Amino acid sequence: MSLILLPDLGDLLRLHPQFNAGTVTELLRRQGTAQVHWATSPDPDHPLRDALPAAGITLLGNLAPDWTWADAEHEQLLGFLSQYPQGRERLRAAQAAERDLAALVTAPLDAHTVLAPAFLAAIQATQAALRAALDEGPGTRWQARRLDELAERLRSLNGVALVPLDDVPGLLDRLQDARLPEVTGFTAGETSRVRALADRAWQLRDDDDLSALLAALDRENGDAVTPRAELDGAAASLHLAVGDLAGARERLERAAHALTDHVPRSLPGLILARLGQVRDAMGDRELAQRTYRATLALTHAPQFARDAAQAGLAQPFTLDLSPP
């Protein structure tokens, strides 16, 4: 049995309606696997750390090497190069490569695009351009060495490994038996669609039709990856956008009562932190403080939820709807 490399987009999964956390769960179900080797970002708030366990998929290990120290070396190199004309020229070439990569990963993506040889070759070309500009080493955050180490950790494994998208070409070169998922005939389904709706509702834009978004959220029953409680939480953010504190509170209290041990692990913190803020803004300070403390008592809460709860305990939250 060979190792299947499933590309991960990290937080960018929240931006792509056709390749999001729900889509990844659908791809894994299509592979017939109930577990996946974690060989990607160490971010504790990575969207797949919520979605996969909620869908009944077990995360195995933490195989990605810890190379965060390389970020400091990279920053030192950039600072050094910026002091010299030739160095600044190399930095401009590197920035062009990074813009090309950003354009690739923020354009509309689906599973067929992400796994297409031409797309992966384009990703690899941006890496080659970065190496040409800054050299292998601190300029690439020691990518070659890191990939060698990651490949060695993956070499004896079977099943599915979740790996960063931009590592996929290098790992395929290093692991002869590794392959990409087969996606012939695959179409993103309901899990992907509902996840895309929630992701979209959390990301408000000035020109959004809030009534249409609310109606879309209310039509859904939710599922394991995106439960009804999260849809109510997202709807509450729309009420807050127009200063409707009562509507937001109703939604958040409904969501809080629907929380169970089986919801995505970040959801209780997200709901409770925002509920504390709304209660605060409505003048219910004592209850708000209890809600903040409940947030901080959770086994896991996203960092922004913990920050919001700590700030709310220190000073009452107020809602500012004045234009910037």
Side-chain angles (χ1 to χ4, degrees):
M1 182 178 177
S2 63
L3 181 67
I4 298 173
L5 301 179
L6 182 57
D8 170 42
L9 273 67
D11 275 341
L12 291 175
L13 288 167
R14 306 182 199 276
L15 300 181
H16 295 293
Q18 295 294 311
F19 197 84
N20 55 43
T23 317
V24 173
T25 67
E26 291 171 336
L27 286 168
L28 288 169
R29 287 168 177 158
R30 192 174 195 259
Q31 296 297 321
T33 184
Q35 56 188 25
V36 60
H37 299 285
W38 188 272
T40 187
S41 166
D43 180 6
D45 297 327
H46 189 296
L48 291 177
R49 288 192 181 277
D50 274 358
L52 298 188
I57 297 169
T58 301
L59 305 181
L60 300 176
N62 191 359
L63 298 170
D66 182 6
W67 282 62
T68 52
W69 56 267
D71 292 336
E73 288 195 1
H74 182 76
E75 291 304 315
Q76 288 175 353
L77 175 66
L78 299 187
F80 174 77
L81 291 176
S82 67
Q83 299 176 43
Y84 305 97
Q86 288 184 330
R88 290 193 288 271
E89 185 62 31
R90 293 174 65 183
L91 288 178
R92 283 191 287 271
Q95 290 163 356
E98 290 170 347
R99 285 195 298 271
D100 289 343
L101 175 60
L104 287 169
V105 298
T106 56
L109 296 176
D110 59 23
H112 296 276
T113 301
V114 169
L115 294 166
F119 180 77
L120 293 175
I123 294 288
Q124 198 166 27
T126 66
Q127 296 171 332
L130 183 63
R131 277 195 306 276
L134 299 182
D135 298 327
E136 177 60 37
T140 64
R141 296 179 173 84
W142 300 97
Q143 184 191 45
R145 282 175 52 192
R146 183 178 57 77
L147 285 174
D148 287 343
E149 184 176 339
L150 180 55
E152 193 58 36
R153 295 184 182 193
L154 296 173
R155 196 175 306 281
S156 61
L157 300 180
N158 293 316
V160 180
L162 188 73
V163 299
L165 169 64
D166 50 355
D167 285 355
V168 171
L171 290 173
L172 289 173
D173 289 342
R174 289 166 171 77
L175 299 169
Q176 292 185 347
D177 293 332
R179 61 184 176 87
L180 298 174
E182 173 55 56
V183 291
T184 301
F186 173 80
T187 302
E190 282 297 292
T191 301
S192 181
R193 184 185 65 79
V194 178
R195 183 65 255 161
L197 174 60
D199 286 340
R200 182 66 188 82
W202 287 119
Q203 300 162 33
L204 289 180
R205 300 171 187 165
D206 290 341
D207 58 349
D208 277 339
D209 184 338
L210 300 189
S211 296
L213 268 176
L214 275 173
L217 290 167
D218 285 340
R219 284 195 295 268
E220 302 298 334
N221 294 321
D223 57 22
V225 172
T226 312
R228 181 65 241 177
E230 181 176 357
L231 298 173
D232 278 328
S237 71
L238 304 185
H239 285 280
L240 280 177
V242 294
D244 179 11
L245 287 169
R249 182 169 182 164
E250 178 185 357
R251 295 278 191 164
L252 288 166
E253 290 181 342
R254 183 192 310 169
H257 286 125
L259 295 174
T260 69
D261 291 338
H262 303 292
V263 299
R265 66 174 192 163
S266 293
L267 185 57
L270 184 155
I271 295 297
L272 291 178
R274 184 50 60 90
L275 178 56
Q277 291 178 325
V278 170
R279 286 170 168 170
D280 234 353
M282 295 183 74
D284 203 340
R285 178 63 177 163
E286 183 178 350
L287 187 55
Q289 289 174 315
R290 293 208 300 268
T291 311
Y292 294 140
R293 293 190 184 100
T295 304
L296 296 173
L298 292 169
T299 302
H300 175 80
Q303 189 58 50
F304 67 85
R306 298 186 66 82
D307 292 343
Q310 289 167 342
L313 286 172
Q315 182 175 342
F317 175 81
T318 58
L319 186 64
D320 182 8
L321 292 175
S322 60

